[in-house]
Amino acid sequence: MGSNLNSTSARVGRIIRFIVTCLVFVLYMFPFYMIVLNSFKDKRDIVKVPLAWGTLGGGKKGFTLTNYVEAFQKMNFLRCLLNSFIITSVSVALIILVSSMCAYIFVRKNWKINKFFYSLMMFSMVIPFQVVMIPLISIYGGQLNMLNHRATLIFMHVGFSVSMAVFMYHGFIRGSIPLSLEEAAEIDGASRPRTFFQIVFPLLKPTTATLVILYALALWNDYLLPSLILTSKDLYTIPIATKLFQGAYGNQMDLLMAALVMAIIPVIILYIALQKYIIAGVVAGAVKA
């Protein structure tokens, strides 16, 4: 009798959790659904029948791709997409390369200066960007005249992001990469760089994939730092162009929603391609240092 009650209560609990999960999912996805839905509709239809597809509900023009074509041209989307792709891909590649090598040295070399620099990096993680924002822009812009360059933005992205990446790589290397593999490679005559790139780095794939996702999302969607560094229209990234597009075409919701959908498509593609590594990478990178 008791076992039947326990199984019934467990089944009811699973049903309740499933219902709550579905409700949370619907609430979370509803704004995204509305943006996608209305990006294919005329502005008058958006106002009149915001929840209807096509000509359902009294829409006049129905389903249309004109919004995407017009937004693509007025936003100069191809140029913005190229700028975002160059800045994000180069920044993420440098973050992965520099932080993995740095963490490897911190773990394998028991130097006192390594402990000092590692502690300094961990301390820098708690400093908000807003604290150094004005002095940083003042130095690079007023004194060094290095603003309005992709290279400057990439350099800053790497500098602000490498600490957390080192922390995650440090925990994974220390807890999951056996030293015996490196010793065997050294006996076979492999140099330290070859050992790292051919033995150690391939084993860091879960953490690397997680960091690629985290930083690709963060840097692709970053608005504050690029808006401070990039002032030329030819260098605008997608978030900056979207914000300016919203200001110029704020009353044209059909074009604005089409622009928003185009802005998030690349990130969704990247997330889908690397999603299987997320859980494994987060768990592996959380190993206590």
Side-chain angles (χ1 to χ4, degrees):
M1 185 69 179
S3 60
N4 292 334
L5 290 176
N6 292 333
S7 61
T8 302
S9 60
R11 190 180 301 109
V12 172
R14 287 194 297 268
I15 294 174
I16 293 175
R17 286 194 296 270
F18 176 77
I19 294 174
V20 172
T21 303
C22 291
L23 291 175
V24 172
F25 175 78
V26 170
L27 290 174
Y28 183 81
M29 293 300 297
F30 183 74
F32 176 75
Y33 166 78
M34 289 295 296
I35 292 175
V36 175
L37 169 66
N38 290 298
S39 66
F40 294 102
K41 294 158 59 176
D42 180 74
K43 181 175 69 173
R44 182 178 298 178
D45 292 345
I46 294 175
V47 177
K48 187 176 181 180
V49 283
L51 296 177
W53 274 101
T55 57
L56 298 177
K60 293 185 177 298
K61 290 191 176 181
F63 183 88
T64 178
L65 294 175
T66 306
N67 299 336
Y68 284 90
V69 176
E70 192 172 351
F72 188 91
Q73 295 173 347
K74 291 183 177 180
M75 192 177 172
N76 197 7
F77 185 79
L78 197 59
R79 167 64 66 177
C80 298
L81 179 65
L82 180 62
N83 290 333
S84 291
F85 178 77
I86 293 174
I87 292 171
T88 302
S89 59
V90 175
S91 298
V92 171
L94 289 176
I95 291 169
I96 296 300
L97 179 63
V98 172
S99 59
S100 60
M101 296 172 66
C102 183
Y104 177 71
I105 294 297
F106 283 169
V107 173
R108 296 305 187 220
K109 298 295 183 180
N110 193 25
W111 299 334
K112 290 184 179 180
I113 194 171
N114 281 355
K115 297 180 180 178
F116 170 76
F117 280 122
Y118 182 70
S119 300
L120 194 64
M121 282 187 169
M122 297 305 101
F123 175 75
S124 68
M125 292 172 61
V126 303
I127 301 177
F129 168 73
Q130 289 77 6
V131 174
V132 298
M133 177 176 65
I134 295 178
L136 192 70
I137 301 304
S138 176
I139 293 173
Y140 278 87
Q143 300 181 19
L144 301 179
N145 195 26
M146 292 178 62
L147 298 183
N148 205 31
H149 295 285
R150 293 194 193 100
T152 303
L153 181 58
I154 291 171
F155 174 75
M156 290 186 180
H157 277 323
V158 174
F160 286 118
S161 305
V162 74
S163 295
M164 191 184 79
V166 167
F167 172 74
M168 293 187 67
Y169 275 127
H170 187 279
F172 187 87
I173 294 173
R174 187 169 184 176
S176 303
I177 306 297
L179 186 60
S180 58
L181 292 176
E182 301 171 39
E183 293 174 345
E186 185 178 356
I187 293 174
D188 290 339
S191 62
R192 179 70 69 174
R194 185 177 180 183
T195 299
F196 174 77
F197 286 107
Q198 294 189 0
I199 303 298
V200 177
F201 190 74
L203 298 175
L204 301 176
K205 185 166 62 173
T207 302
T208 299
T210 301
L211 290 173
V212 167
I213 294 172
L214 292 176
Y215 284 118
L217 292 172
L219 301 185
W220 186 275
N221 294 319
D222 187 23
Y223 170 78
L224 179 57
L225 184 57
S227 66
L228 297 173
I229 302 297
L230 306 176
T231 57
S232 173
K233 290 184 178 180
D234 292 334
L235 298 177
Y236 282 168
T237 59
I238 288 181
I240 300 177
T242 304
K243 179 64 177 178
L244 296 178
F245 190 85
Q246 179 184 4
Y249 301 94
N251 61 335
Q252 295 183 255
M253 292 183 291
D254 49 349
L255 301 184
L256 180 59
M257 291 186 182
L260 292 175
V261 173
M262 290 190 296
I264 63 178
I265 286 176
V267 179
I268 294 176
I269 294 174
L270 176 67
Y271 185 86
I272 293 174
L274 297 177
Q275 63 177 335
K276 66 179 181 179
Y277 297 107
I278 295 177
I279 303 300
V282 170
V283 174
V287 176
K288 185 177 180 180

